[in-house]
Amino acid sequence: MDASSNDVREIMDLDGSEKNEASMVKEALMGADKKKKIKKPESSFKKPDGMHRELWGLLWTDNKDAPPIIPTDTNQGYKQMKAKIGRSKVRPWKFMPFTNPARKDGAIFNHWRRVADEGKDYPFARFNKTVDVPVYTDIEYQQHLHDENWSRQETDHLFDLCKRFSLRFIVVHDRWDRVKFPNRSVEDLKERFYGIWNTLTKVRAAHGTEPRIRIFDADHERKRKEQLIKLFNRDPEQVKEEEQLLQELKKIELRKKEREKKTQDLQKLITAADSNMESRRMERKTTKKKVPPSQKSRDIGATPESTGIKFPDSKQSGVSLRSQRMKLPATVGQKKTKAIEQVLDELAIDLNPIPTEDIVQHFNELRQDIVLLYELKLALANCEYELQTLRHRYETLAPGKVLDVGPSPASTLSTSMADIATAESKPDSPSKARKISETIDVVGPSGAVGGSLTEESFHRKRRLAAIEQSNILKKITKQKV
């Protein structure tokens, strides 16, 4: 016994004193030897950055459960899914006869129905929709509906079939009596029926009212079906040829749009060049007058709308540097910037001159003219390339013959520029130099380039272009002969 108690004390790690033994017995009896449960710290999840408080409140519930992967419904259990059987009495049913109003033979059928619905109309009778086919009298037919291509018996047969099959003309055409009457197409049947319908509507309409006419174009319907039959009977080669033609048509439309865009851009450049030359000429002719500094500063800030460079506006509040007016905007490309620098190097002009008011104004105008000249050269090169391409194409089509279309645009433009230079050197002499728009004739639609062409000049240029085209055609025919 002692050994067993000692073993128990040793296992429970207790002293051998009586107090400890008594306390052990007391604690064993009172249940005070139970160890107190240590609460583990709850794992707290912080709200992620950027998530709204309302969304976090929906995901993070009071039970501190993790958000579910799939939507669950824990409110309803198996007990609530039981069927709720009502305690009201079952409504009695009866096997009773009924008649269908859609039938005219008076047939009687039987079906199950509630006793409360006995004596009521058949519920599906409301879906029986009929077409109102007009009925004509003998007098109306003789006075208004007589047709040499249709007999009275044939017309009566048509209206009888239309009434029986509710204007389903495909069924009417299928049930047409081809033994008694000649064969008629669906379009013929529709044309005769709607013709009589419209005639009776007009005759029976009250005086002063507009009758409702049903329009049916039989000729259009016949042509449409013929085209559909031709489209259906195409062989694979014809389908492939049509696809190729459609692709070529798209290419032609794209080329046309590109050509129109190039023509408009070239016309804008030519108009800008003409306006700049006219303004230079007028400035040289006018006498030099003292201009107030306020007006001078206003003139510096204004730039022509037709030029390619739009310098920043100087109308700003506060202090600003005058050199900022000479800064090229970001819209100017790298190629144009290099062209400006190259021309300024050839003219021995500093790239950053002293920014006085006169220098800023003239330096900006010079760079605008350089950009305009650069764009005109590009347009002239494109015209030369297209002209050479057309000439080579003509030579390949007609070998051994050369197409003579007059002097090239570059030579005519150089002579015109020489005339302009001589005229500008003599401001007092009358100017006989031609404008660039007269040298390079770009015929575009009236008003297409900002309203730069008047209607009279547009028609005059069209006539000149037609005359030149006829002369070229005469030269081509002479060369062929």
Side-chain angles (χ1 to χ4, degrees), residues 233-431:
N233 293 331
R234 291 179 303 167
D235 53 3
E237 294 180 357
Q238 292 177 349
V239 175
K240 189 175 181 180
E241 183 181 359
E242 185 178 357
E243 291 177 355
Q244 292 177 355
L245 291 175
L246 290 175
Q247 292 178 359
E248 291 294 330
L249 179 61
K250 290 180 180 179
K251 291 179 181 179
I252 291 170
E253 290 178 352
L254 288 175
R255 290 196 207 103
K256 184 181 178 182
K257 290 180 180 179
E258 291 177 358
R259 198 180 302 113
E260 289 177 354
K261 187 178 179 181
K262 288 180 181 179
T263 303
Q264 292 180 5
D265 295 340
L266 183 58
Q267 186 65 47
K268 288 180 181 179
L269 292 175
I270 292 170
T271 307
D274 289 338
S275 62
N276 286 343
M277 285 188 292
E278 287 291 337
S279 61
R280 301 288 190 278
R281 199 175 299 157
M282 293 300 294
E283 286 177 2
R284 293 184 181 181
K285 285 183 180 180
T286 54
T287 58
K288 294 182 179 180
K289 296 181 180 180
K290 292 183 179 180
V291 182
S294 60
Q295 185 178 358
K296 202 168 186 182
S297 63
R298 264 189 260 113
D299 294 339
I300 292 171
T303 56
E305 295 181 358
S306 57
T307 54
I309 303 177
K310 292 184 178 180
F311 289 97
D313 197 359
S314 61
K315 298 177 181 179
Q316 295 178 358
S317 60
V319 180
S320 61
L321 296 175
R322 197 182 290 128
S323 59
Q324 293 294 323
R325 302 176 189 171
M326 296 191 302
K327 186 178 179 181
L328 288 173
T331 55
V332 180
Q334 189 175 4
K335 293 183 179 179
K336 293 181 181 180
T337 306
K338 289 183 178 180
I340 291 171
E341 293 176 357
Q342 184 179 0
V343 175
L344 291 177
D345 290 338
E346 292 176 359
L347 298 176
I349 298 175
D350 191 7
L351 297 178
N352 296 314
I354 299 172
T356 62
E357 290 186 0
D358 294 335
I359 290 177
V360 169
Q361 180 183 2
H362 294 302
F363 189 65
N364 290 344
E365 290 178 357
L366 175 62
R367 288 186 293 178
Q368 288 171 357
D369 293 340
I370 291 171
V371 172
L372 183 60
L373 179 62
Y374 174 76
E375 292 177 351
L376 282 172
K377 283 184 177 180
L378 286 179
L380 182 62
N382 291 332
C383 290
E384 285 283 348
Y385 175 75
E386 291 180 0
L387 186 60
Q388 290 292 336
T389 305
L390 292 174
R391 188 180 286 113
H392 289 313
R393 190 181 298 175
Y394 173 76
E395 290 176 358
T396 54
L397 293 174
K401 296 179 181 180
V402 180
L403 180 62
D404 186 13
V405 292
S408 62
S411 60
T412 54
L413 184 61
S414 60
T415 55
S416 177
M417 295 300 288
D419 295 339
I420 292 168
T422 54
E424 289 181 351
S425 61
K426 300 177 182 179
D428 297 333
S429 62
S431 176

Side-chain angles (χ1 to χ4, degrees), residues 161-173:
L161 292 177
C162 290
K163 189 174 182 180
R164 283 175 56 193
F165 300 113
S166 300
L167 298 183
R168 297 178 178 89
F169 285 98
I170 303 299
V171 183
V172 171
H173 178 263

Side-chain angles (χ1 to χ4, degrees), residues 53 66 212 227 373 379 383 460:
R53 180 174 56 82
R212 186 179 178 182
Q227 294 295 329
L373 179 62
C383 290
R460 179 175 59 81

Side-chain angles (χ1 to χ4, degrees), residues 13-30:
D13 197 13
L14 298 174
D15 296 334
S17 61
E18 295 179 356
K19 292 182 179 180
N20 291 338
E21 185 176 359
S23 62
M24 182 187 70
V25 174
K26 184 179 180 181
E27 288 175 0
L29 292 174
M30 299 299 293

Side-chain angles (χ1 to χ4, degrees), residues 119-174:
K120 293 183 180 179
D121 295 334
Y122 186 56
F124 296 99
R126 64 180 182 274
F127 298 110
N128 182 30
K129 304 296 181 182
T130 58
V131 181
D132 295 331
V133 178
V135 180
Y136 49 85
T137 60
D138 296 337
I139 299 174
E140 288 176 343
Y141 186 86
Q142 292 176 3
Q143 292 180 355
H144 307 288
L145 308 178
H146 179 71
D147 191 354
E148 296 179 356
N149 297 325
W150 287 75
S151 62
R152 174 64 185 272
Q153 294 78 11
E154 195 174 5
T155 306
D156 294 340
H157 181 57
L158 171 63
F159 272 72
D160 184 24
L161 292 177
C162 290
K163 189 174 182 180
R164 283 175 56 193
F165 300 113
S166 300
L167 298 183
R168 297 178 178 89
F169 285 98
I170 303 299
V171 183
V172 171
H173 178 263
D174 181 69

